[in-house]
Amino acid sequence: MMMATGSAAPLFSVRGLTKRYGARIGCADVGFDLFPGEVMGIVGESGSGKSTLLNCLAGHLVPDAGKVIFDTRTDGPRDTLTMSEPERRMLARTDWAFVHQNPRDGLRMGVSAGGNVGERLMAVGARNYGAIRATALDWLGRVEIAADRIDDRPSGFSGGMQQRLQIARNLVTGPRLVFMDEPTGGLDVSVQARLLDLLRGLVREMGLSAIIVTHDLAVVRLLADRLMVMKGGHVVEQGLTDQVLDDPQHAYTQLLVSSVLQV
Amino acid sequence: MNDYTFAYLDEQTKRMIRRAILKGVAIPGYQVPFASREMPMPYGWGTGGVQVTAACLTPEDVLKVIDQGADDTTNAVSIRKFFQRTAGVAVTEATVEASLIQTRHRIPEAPLTEAQILVYQVPIPEPLRFLEPREVETRRMHALEDYGLMHVKLYEDIARHGEIATAYAYPVKVEGRYVMDPSPIPKFDNPKLSDSPALQLFGAGREQRIYALPPYTRVVSLDFDDHPFVASKADHACDLCGAGDTYLDEVIIDDAGGRMFVCSDTDHCGSRRRAGHVGRLGVPGKEVA
């Protein structure tokens, strides 16, 4: 189940992660290892706790129990939950990236496309306008946005372009771990296909590790090496994507797989 | 005079404001919240500056009030009268004679000294306000020194106008830590903020914030390596006193496109004319008393 990266240490490991909303369970006792270059999908129905889990992993929510250990560049494996807030923010704008379902949550709609891409660079200290702009242009090209749109605001972009811009904005600092919350949600199927194609290319090319939350099994089939199925806050099944989808063991997974419409 | 507490505010309020000022001085550039009072003037007329001035005034002080550099505009005149009436302090128009100067939108041209306090009226103290509307978030950004967004604003300026077009309220970084809005002074005045011998206090009444620059504080205007900060001004000399190194106001003088440029600092211009300097449209020998 490992990718051919040669590295034995996990990039990201989660142990006993639990988040409760009062008496209700958000997610309970979730644990997994993610290795460099590996893409993991989290699927499940609405309310199964997959977004709660992702937000806990990315540091947007504080879990009630558990460990979230990230292999940092400088200090080796560290529990991100016990890090100080500045350290966590630094991580969030360098080694981590978060792609929101709705690009409006992840973009600054009043700032030009170039400014959106450049923000993370400037946040980590880039102070050369020409260099920032050149990098922004390069990234717009990589996500197939025409160079002459660099000074346009994302409010004038189509949904698919906004999502691609959000991806460029997140990947510009060369992160090692990307969290994606339904990256193709709300896009029509042909745009989805292009976006998936693009994402797959970028993930392979940059050797990214990614955690993708989605309810769309086609997305995980294309992108994810490994799959985790959630129901009611618990992980009910995990394994290689093809294995889980082709030979589902748990009753819920069987239901999920058989619910996909065949065209 | 006896109808009021000295300088209008009651002693407890002055004490509260002084505590905020002390905290501001201790943490240069940090916005200290304070319980701003209703003042007998509308918001936007300098209610914050007036409260800071009232808390700093002593009976021995000599007060100067300027608005856009001028001593004779409505805002300056009414605030000066207010303190003449409620504090009975001496007032002046000469920068060198003043011990406390309340200003709106300018720093006087004449160099300040260690014996002076400069009080700024601030409409919007938060430099990140128009980039990030959430107050909770901007305070967190200040706390965590998360200032990438400030450069995004400057980036947008260059992308749209070819240069940093922000001409006033130009953001600065104080002692390498807090990013601060220097109030809407022209960026021409930004270099004077740094290493100033005078104590500089900033009061925002509506927003209930006080911040400060202690004397000799390092203040750096934000910029890019390849688009450095430039303290710009109109490319003219003063038409009354001939000064080529002062910040100028443009004045329309007829319906045929005629205009003149004059020093915005009226005291500086007047003293130069009294010393015999004459500009393009000035009349020698016919000067203000």
Side-chain angles (χ1 to χ4, degrees), chain A residues 200-213:
Chain A
R200 191 159 57 162
L202 288 172
V203 164
R204 295 285 179 270
E205 184 189 323
M206 298 175 72
L208 293 175
S209 301
I211 297 176
I212 301 178
V213 161

Side-chain angles (χ1 to χ4, degrees), chain A residues 37 42 75 88 90 105 113 121 127 129 134 141 159 173-174 185 204 211 225 235 240 257:
Chain A
I42 302 174
D75 303 327
R88 205 160 32 230
M90 195 58 187
D105 297 336
L121 294 171
R127 292 291 179 263
Y129 175 81
T173 46
R204 295 285 179 270
I211 297 176
D225 305 306
V235 178
L240 293 178
V257 171

Side-chain angles (χ1 to χ4, degrees), chain A residues 10-18 27-34 40 42 53-54 56-58 63 65-70 79-81 96 177 179 211 226 228 235 238:
Chain A
L11 179 72
F12 193 60
S13 38
V14 178
R15 294 286 175 272
L17 196 77
T18 303
C27 59
D29 199 26
V30 178
F32 62 87
D33 284 326
L34 188 75
M40 193 175 79
I42 302 174
L53 174 61
L54 193 73
C56 286
L57 296 179
K67 283 192 165 83
V68 178
I69 296 159
F70 180 73
D79 189 348
T80 59
L81 299 177
W96 286 7
L177 176 60
F179 302 99
I211 297 176
R226 204 145 55 87
M228 207 158 86
V235 178
Q238 56 177 323

Side-chain angles (χ1 to χ4, degrees), chain B residues 197-242:
Chain B
L199 170 64
Q200 300 174 82
L201 304 173
F202 299 76
R206 176 173 40 206
E207 303 274 332
Q208 314 203 326
R209 294 288 184 276
I210 285 173
Y211 49 106
L213 295 173
Y216 304 109
T217 301
R218 185 163 48 89
V219 179
V220 179
S221 304
L222 300 179
D223 60 2
F224 286 102
D225 298 341
D226 44 353
H227 287 267
F229 170 80
V230 180
S232 62
K233 65 181 274 283
D235 191 17
H236 290 270
C238 173
D239 283 333
L240 292 180
C241 76

Side-chain angles (χ1 to χ4, degrees), chain A residues 85-86 89 93 108 111-112 114-115 119 122-123 127-130 132-133 150-151 153, chain B residues 131-132 137 140-141 144 146 148-149 151-152 155-156 158-160 223-227:
Chain A
E85 183 72 21
R89 281 221 167 190
R93 60 180 183 238
R108 292 196 186 276
V111 168
S112 72
E119 182 180 343
M122 293 182 250
R127 292 291 179 263
N128 187 306
Y129 175 81
I132 293 167
R133 201 167 166 84
I150 187 169
D151 292 332
R153 294 182 181 187
Chain B
L131 303 158
E132 174 54 67
E137 183 61 18
R140 191 176 292 145
M141 290 162 81
L144 300 175
D146 195 354
L149 201 51
H151 272 86
V152 172
Y155 170 95
E156 288 288 287
I158 304 173
R160 207 163 297 156
D223 60 2
F224 286 102
D225 298 341
D226 44 353
H227 287 267

Side-chain angles (χ1 to χ4, degrees), chain A residues 97-203:
Chain A
F98 196 102
V99 177
H100 293 265
Q101 172 175 7
N102 188 341
R104 281 160 201 276
D105 297 336
L107 292 172
R108 292 196 186 276
M109 300 307 282
V111 168
S112 72
N116 265 295
V117 178
E119 182 180 343
R120 273 170 81 107
L121 294 171
M122 293 182 250
V124 295
R127 292 291 179 263
N128 187 306
Y129 175 81
I132 293 167
R133 201 167 166 84
T135 313
L137 269 175
D138 175 45
W139 268 98
L140 290 182
R142 285 162 96 167
V143 297
E144 300 166 17
I145 294 175
D148 62 354
R149 301 300 299 269
I150 187 169
D151 292 332
D152 293 352
R153 294 182 181 187
S155 46
F157 287 9
S158 70
M161 277 173 84
Q162 288 180 358
Q163 194 57 288
R164 294 203 299 275
L165 181 63
Q166 194 195 175
I167 288 164
R169 167 186 161 89
N170 272 289
L171 297 188
V172 67
T173 46
R176 293 190 295 155
L177 176 60
V178 186
F179 302 99
M180 295 191 213
D181 189 5
E182 312 255 11
T184 58
L187 300 176
D188 67 60
V189 282
S190 61
V191 175
Q192 266 192 31
R194 265 180 78 195
L195 188 74
L196 285 174
D197 209 35
L198 177 80
L199 270 178
R200 191 159 57 162
L202 288 172
V203 164

